[in-house]
Amino acid sequence: MITKSEDLAALCERLAKSDFVAVDTEFMRENTYWPELCLVQIADTQEAAAIDPLAPDLDLQPLWDLLTGNEDVLKVFHAGGQDVEIIYNFTNRTPHPIFDTQIAQMAISQSEQIGYSNLVESWLGLTIDKGARFTDWSRRPLTERQIEYAIGDVTHLAKIFPRMLKRLIKTDRGEWLDQEMEKLADPENYRNDPTIAWKRIKAAGRNAGVLGRLKALAAWREHEARGKNIPRGRIVRDETLADLASHPPKTQSDLAKVRGLSQGWKDNEIGKRLMQALAASEPLPEDELPPRAPRGAPLGKEGSLVADLLKLLLKIRAREIDVASRLLARSEELELLAAGVRKNLAMLEGWRFKTFGKDALDLVEGKLAFAVVDGRLKMTHVDDTVEPAPE
C-alpha cells in the first residue's frame, strides 16, 4: 500500500522499465459529479501495489507521468473506459499505448463484453472472491482483505495479458484491435464539454428550435451539477430536459406544472437560472443537426426482413471464426445496410470488410444464400449452389 510520495516515485521508476503494466482503479461516483478516486492498483510481472490517492500530501505526478507520458510501457486494463475517464479528469490526457482485455477477448472468442471474474476463471481457473466488491473504497483504514482483493485485480491481469497476446499473435488478429484501442484512448471521448452534453440525451426529430433549447438546457445542467458536485440527474433528469425543450414554459411559474420538477422551482433561484438558459437559447445551426435518418426506399417494406437475414449471417460468421459478433458489426449498422446505406459503415472498411462486410454486401445484392449442410446452417454463394436453368 503506497501512501508516501517517495515510495510512489520509486515504484513508478521501477515500473517504467517494464514492457507493460496492468492498471485498475476503485472509485465512488454515486453522490458526486466527478468520480472520487479512492485507489489505484498497478502491477507488472514482478510486483504489484495499491496506491492511496486519499493519503495526505501524496504526490501522484510520477503515476500520471507513467500512465500518460511514457510511450514505451503498454497500459493494460479490463473494461477500462471508466478508469481512463478518471485518469483524464486528473491530467487532461489519456493512457497510451493502451490494451483492453475485454475488447481483446472479443477477437479470440464469441464472448460479448466478458466480465472480469469470468475472464479470470476462463484463463487462470480461479474463482474471484466477490465479498469486497461493494466496499466503500473511500473509508479508511482499508482492511488487509480489501487491499488483497484490490491488488488481485491487477496481479491476475498481469498473468492473463501475456497469454492473451500469444493467442492473438497465433490467430493473426492483433491488427483487428488497433483501431478499437486507439478509440478507447481518444481524449475526445472523455472531454466533458457542456456545449455537447445535449448529444447524450435522447431526442426525437431534427427540429432546430427544440434541439437548440435542449443544447442550452443540457449545458446549464452541467454547470449546475459541477458547481454543486452532484450527479447531473439530481439536478434534472434527461427526460425532463427533453420535455422542457419540446414544450418550453412561458414563465417561471409554469415550472411548477412540469413533471419531474418540484413546486419550489416556480420561484427559486435554480428555476430562475433555468428560465434564463431557455431565454438565451438559439436554434441549432444546420451543421450541428443530427443526420437525417436514411430511408429504406431501395428495399421497400422488405427492409426489416433483410436486416434479420444480415443478423443471422453475422451469427453464422461469428460462430465460424470464433469471434464476438459485436466486434464485426453492430445491429444498427446492419439495419442501415439493409436500408441501402453504403457509406460510413465500419463493417465495409478494412479487416471488417474482408471478414464479414463483403459477404453482407453479397447477401443484400442477391449473391449469397443460406443452406443447411450436415445439420448446420451455413452461408454459400449462389453461383456455387444454383445450377443454370435448362435452355
Side-chain angles (χ1 to χ4, degrees):
M1 186 74 165
I2 302 292
T3 60
K4 296 181 179 180
S5 296
E6 55 269 29
D7 293 336
L8 178 58
L11 171 70
C12 292
E13 185 176 351
R14 294 193 300 272
L15 293 176
K17 300 173 185 176
S18 302
D19 292 329
F20 75 91
V21 291
V23 186
D24 188 31
T25 65
E26 306 296 346
F27 54 88
M28 307 289 289
R29 68 185 313 162
E30 290 83 358
N31 300 309
T32 58
Y33 179 87
W34 302 106
E36 181 185 5
L37 181 61
C38 302
L39 204 65
V40 181
Q41 306 96 276
I42 192 165
D44 63 3
T45 56
Q46 302 300 316
E47 64 177 319
I51 301 161
D52 184 3
L54 303 182
D57 303 319
L58 178 64
D59 180 10
L60 293 173
Q61 193 58 48
L63 175 65
W64 304 141
D65 290 342
L66 173 65
L67 295 182
T68 67
N70 189 324
E71 290 285 320
D72 296 326
V73 179
L74 181 67
K75 295 81 182 179
V76 180
F77 296 84
H78 180 78
Q82 293 189 86
D83 303 309
V84 174
E85 176 195 356
I86 288 173
I87 295 168
Y88 178 84
N89 288 342
F90 275 90
T91 65
N92 283 325
R93 301 178 67 183
T94 58
H96 192 273
I98 195 170
F99 186 93
D100 191 305
T101 53
Q102 185 181 72
I103 297 173
Q105 184 72 11
M106 296 169 66
I108 52 178
S109 74
Q110 297 179 56
S111 300
E112 301 276 355
Q113 294 185 312
I114 187 171
Y116 179 73
S117 297
N118 290 335
L119 184 84
V120 171
E121 186 171 357
S122 172
W123 285 89
L124 303 180
L126 300 175
T127 301
I128 298 293
D129 175 12
K130 299 179 181 180
R133 184 169 49 173
F134 300 108
T135 287
D136 180 353
W137 293 103
S138 66
R139 298 185 67 178
R140 293 295 183 271
L142 294 175
T143 66
E144 287 296 324
R145 183 189 179 199
Q146 289 171 323
I147 297 171
E148 182 180 350
Y149 169 86
I151 291 181
D153 285 348
V154 288
T155 55
H156 296 325
L157 210 54
K159 294 176 183 177
I160 292 170
F161 168 68
R163 302 183 189 186
M164 184 175 283
L165 188 60
K166 287 182 180 179
R167 179 88 63 86
L168 283 167
I169 293 172
K170 185 176 181 180
T171 56
D172 198 27
R173 294 177 182 176
E175 65 174 309
W176 290 16
L177 299 174
D178 290 345
Q179 183 179 353
E180 300 301 313
M181 300 307 177
E182 288 302 313
K183 191 185 304 180
L184 179 64
D186 185 355
E188 286 301 308
N189 294 328
Y190 310 98
R191 187 167 61 90
N192 206 332
D193 183 353
T195 64
I196 60 174
W198 67 276
K199 295 182 179 182
R200 295 193 295 261
I201 302 172
K202 188 174 182 180
R206 301 176 73 250
N207 184 291
V210 171
L211 294 181
R213 288 189 291 270
L214 184 62
K215 179 180 179 179
L217 289 171
W220 160 80
R221 184 178 65 171
E222 292 298 306
H223 290 298
E224 292 283 344
R226 285 184 184 183
K228 297 176 173 60
N229 195 24
I230 61 175
R232 58 179 64 89
R234 292 194 189 174
I235 302 293
V236 182
R237 296 174 64 87
D238 284 1
E239 52 267 34
T240 303
L241 277 192
D243 188 43
L244 286 165
S246 299
H247 307 94
K250 292 183 173 60
T251 66
Q252 185 176 346
S253 61
D254 292 335
L255 294 177
K257 306 172 187 176
V258 176
R259 183 177 179 182
L261 300 182
S262 67
Q263 289 287 323
W265 284 68
K266 71 182 187 302
D267 52 20
N268 63 13
E269 287 300 311
I270 193 170
K272 181 179 178 180
R273 292 193 294 272
L274 184 154
M275 294 302 297
Q276 289 171 342
L278 273 177
S281 67
E282 297 179 355
L284 204 65
E286 179 68 29
D287 60 355
E288 290 188 43
L289 290 174
R292 295 183 184 277
R295 299 182 182 276
L299 297 173
K301 296 180 180 179
E302 300 298 307
S304 61
L305 294 177
V306 174
D308 288 340
L309 288 177
L310 285 168
K311 292 172 185 176
L312 178 59
L313 176 67
L314 179 60
K315 288 182 180 179
I316 293 173
R317 173 47 55 91
R319 184 195 67 199
E320 287 179 343
I321 64 175
D322 193 27
V323 66
S325 59
R326 181 189 178 96
L327 191 62
L328 297 177
R330 305 291 181 97
S331 293
E332 53 267 29
E333 283 187 284
L334 300 179
E335 291 167 3
L336 289 172
L337 186 69
V341 176
R342 298 294 183 269
K343 294 181 179 180
N344 299 320
L345 297 180
M347 67 178 177
L348 299 184
E349 300 173 357
W351 67 266
R352 285 186 174 88
F353 178 74
K354 297 176 185 178
T355 307
F356 172 73
K358 186 178 185 302
D359 284 336
L361 272 179
D362 285 347
L363 179 63
V364 298
E365 293 174 0
K367 301 176 184 178
L368 200 68
F370 294 100
V372 178
V373 180
D374 297 328
R376 291 172 67 88
L377 191 61
K378 294 189 175 182
M379 54 190 180
T380 180
H381 280 82
V382 172
D383 294 342
D384 297 336
T385 58
V386 179
E387 297 181 0
E391 297 182 359

